[in-house]
Amino acid sequence: MKQLIKGGRVINPATKFDAKADVLVENGKIAAIGPDLSADGAEVYDASGKIVSPGLIDMHVHFREPGQEAKEDFESGSKAAAAGGFTTVATMPNTKPVVDSAALVRSLKKRAEDVGRVHIEIIGAVTKGQKGAELAELGDMIAAGAVAFSDDGHFDPTAKVLLAAYDYLHPFDKVIINHEEETSLVEDGVMNEGHRSAMLGLKGRPTVAEDIAVARDVLLAEYAGARVHVAHISSARSVDLVRAAKARGVRVTAEVTPQHLTMTDDLVNLYDSSTKINPPLREEKDCKALLEGLKDGTIDAIVTDHSPHAQEEKDREYLYAPSGFPGLETSLGVLLTDVYGKGLLGLPEILEKMTCNPAKILGIDAGSLEPGKRADITVIDPDLTWVVDAKNFYTRGSHSPFVGRKLKGKAVLTMVDGNIVMRDGKVE
């Protein structure tokens, strides 16, 4: 089977390729990239005026399997990923039960193969039950196919256990993805600690809780010579800490979400729990620092932290609602509107953070448009104007702070292994 994507602006950050070109796909692989390609019998897709990118990669999603399928499952989550232009995602292990064994990794990989519309990679837990007390089956999970490890949703309170994990994983060159908030400083906090939290009478989660955690975990990784990845970074001081660590040669990487880049705690509303996330929305100075971190390479990846919840869970008072919202179907539009559209970052730079960089961090063969590579491709219409409507979501979560927003830019074609899984917003 042949497909020919013609006349688009092909941006491949992995090779710094950026030019008008055609992309020929044969038997699920990229066969050729260049001007004026032709192929007898090929299905032709006209990409004139559009961006042709490697398939987007999100290294931080919550697909909720096993045990929390009322919130999301591999089928609904992968449909949402395809709708948003993502061809590969990595799902976090804070499920019920926690993904802390090789048997669970193997079963989830099989489940992903059976129902996933996109490639679903599995992240294993660092500690048993994510309790921070005893290491999980790290080596066995690697053998079963886990690409990284995280106790996401939990800050490991014992430095000794985390150091042991760094030492164990160092020979495997696998990364630990850390949720960075010192627990004793954020207990019962529901939003950023500052002027807005005081005005609303809500207990805050201070930025120093994140900063202390980042400093500790980076120092431990430096001591062990191991790899550490800072999940959903949100504090200006944390960006400075990562920047300084990279300058020292520490093997540290970091990620940021569109919401932390573009939204502040001024948007928190007691009657709308969609803005309740963890870590919380911060202040304008933090948003600016995060953008600078993206620009200078301190922050390596953009992720969604896609965290859907059941309607009845999220539709509660701000104080009691769970943290998180679905992001796979809105993230690209938000970035193209509020970052690229405002001239804050170029398309090649944004796509680098959403393709080859996360692939490199996870150690997977993806994120690049090159002959011989699997044909995971996203076509983006940067001029398409649309309104976010939860009724059109493929995810099971509906509470998003972006609902009702008019955005400019959207994925219009998603191809996985040469198969079109989304065309013009419809997942096939």
Side-chain angles (χ1 to χ4, degrees):
M1 184 177 179
K2 298 179 184 179
Q3 293 110 334
L4 186 60
I5 302 172
K6 287 195 67 69
R9 176 186 171 189
V10 178
I11 300 178
N12 185 30
T15 60
K16 308 301 181 186
F17 184 90
D18 184 352
K20 184 177 179 180
D22 303 335
V23 179
L24 177 62
V25 174
E26 292 187 36
N27 300 319
K29 304 282 188 181
I30 296 172
I33 300 174
D36 303 320
L37 297 181
S38 62
D40 292 339
E43 177 187 356
V44 178
Y45 181 87
D46 183 4
S48 301
K50 299 180 177 65
I51 308 300
V52 182
S53 163
L56 304 184
I57 298 172
D58 189 347
M59 60 177 289
H60 191 145
V61 304
H62 298 267
F63 277 2
R64 308 301 193 190
E65 285 200 48
Q68 299 172 311
E69 289 84 356
K71 300 172 185 277
E72 191 80 290
D73 61 20
F74 277 19
E75 185 171 10
S76 61
S78 66
K79 285 181 177 179
F86 293 89
T87 59
T88 300
V89 297
T91 184
M92 285 292 178
N94 54 333
T95 49
K96 294 182 179 181
V98 169
V99 183
D100 58 5
S101 69
L104 269 173
V105 172
R106 281 193 294 268
S107 67
L108 290 176
K109 285 184 70 67
K110 180 63 168 62
R111 169 75 172 158
E113 291 173 4
D114 289 343
V115 303
R117 299 299 200 279
V118 303
H119 302 290
I120 302 174
E121 301 289 352
I122 310 301
I123 296 172
V126 177
T127 62
K128 290 185 177 180
Q130 292 189 315
K131 295 179 179 178
E134 184 180 356
L135 292 186
E137 297 178 4
L138 303 180
D140 288 344
M141 283 193 282
I142 291 171
V147 295
F149 296 90
S150 179
D151 277 352
D152 187 52
H154 306 268
F155 175 68
D156 289 321
T158 307
K160 183 177 181 180
V161 172
L162 185 59
L163 182 59
Y166 283 143
D167 284 336
Y168 189 99
L169 291 172
H170 186 204
F172 296 98
D173 199 34
K174 293 294 182 182
V175 70
I176 294 179
I177 302 169
N178 283 330
H179 180 112
E180 307 288 19
E181 281 185 301
E182 166 54 51
T183 308
S184 63
L185 295 176
V186 298
E187 289 175 347
D188 303 321
V190 296
M191 67 172 293
N192 181 58
E193 183 177 273
H195 175 75
R196 182 66 175 167
S197 64
M199 292 294 292
L200 294 174
L202 294 175
K203 188 170 181 181
R205 303 171 82 96
T207 54
V208 71
E210 179 174 312
D211 304 338
I212 289 171
V214 169
R216 186 201 76 167
D217 291 353
V218 165
L219 286 172
L220 287 172
E222 183 175 18
Y223 183 77
R227 297 176 60 203
V228 59
H229 181 81
V230 178
H232 38 48
I233 195 168
S234 69
S235 150
R237 179 62 174 147
S238 291
V239 175
D240 288 339
L241 289 166
V242 172
R243 183 180 290 115
K246 284 194 169 189
R248 297 197 307 271
V250 182
R251 303 174 71 197
V252 56
T253 51
E255 66 185 34
V256 68
T257 71
Q259 50 268 29
H260 289 110
L261 268 179
T262 64
M263 302 174 68
T264 70
D265 59 356
D266 285 337
L267 297 172
V268 172
N269 182 335
L270 284 173
Y271 305 101
D272 179 9
S273 66
S274 68
T275 58
K276 187 178 181 183
I277 57 175
N278 186 12
L281 297 175
R282 303 294 190 186
E283 298 178 14
E284 184 66 29
K285 64 179 177 65
D286 298 297
C287 293
K288 290 179 178 177
L290 295 172
L291 182 64
E292 288 305 312
L294 273 179
K295 287 181 177 178
D296 68 18
T298 300
I299 300 174
D300 306 85
I302 299 173
V303 304
T304 66
D305 192 12
H306 175 82
S307 303
H309 294 282
Q311 179 83 13
E312 63 273 14
E313 292 178 302
K314 200 69 173 172
D315 195 18
R316 302 174 68 191
E317 298 97 325
Y318 204 94
L319 195 62
Y320 302 110
S323 296
F325 64 82
L328 284 165
E329 293 167 83
T330 56
S331 63
L332 183 60
V334 170
L335 292 166
L336 292 176
T337 303
D338 292 341
V339 179
Y340 169 68
K342 294 180 179 178
L344 302 177
L345 208 60
L347 275 174
E349 290 74 29
I350 291 173
L351 292 176
E352 178 186 47
K353 312 291 185 180
M354 301 178 78
T355 58
C356 57
N357 279 9
K360 189 182 304 181
I361 293 166
L362 295 177
I364 58 176
D365 186 15
S368 183
L369 293 178
E370 299 174 68
K373 297 283 189 181
R374 69 189 189 195
D376 292 349
I377 301 170
T378 302
V379 179
I380 301 163
D381 186 341
D383 299 317
L384 178 62
T385 300
W386 59 291
V387 176
V388 179
D389 185 349
K391 293 178 182 177
N392 297 326
F393 283 172
Y394 283 94
T395 176
R396 291 185 178 170
S398 60
H399 285 75
S400 165
F402 301 118
V403 168
R405 276 215 51 196
K406 186 177 181 179
L407 301 177
K408 185 179 180 181
K410 199 174 193 292
V412 292
L413 186 84
T414 307
M415 179 181 287
V416 177
D417 287 329
N419 298 309
I420 294 174
V421 296
M422 185 278 287
R423 188 195 300 261
D424 296 328
K426 184 177 180 181
V427 176
E428 300 177 357

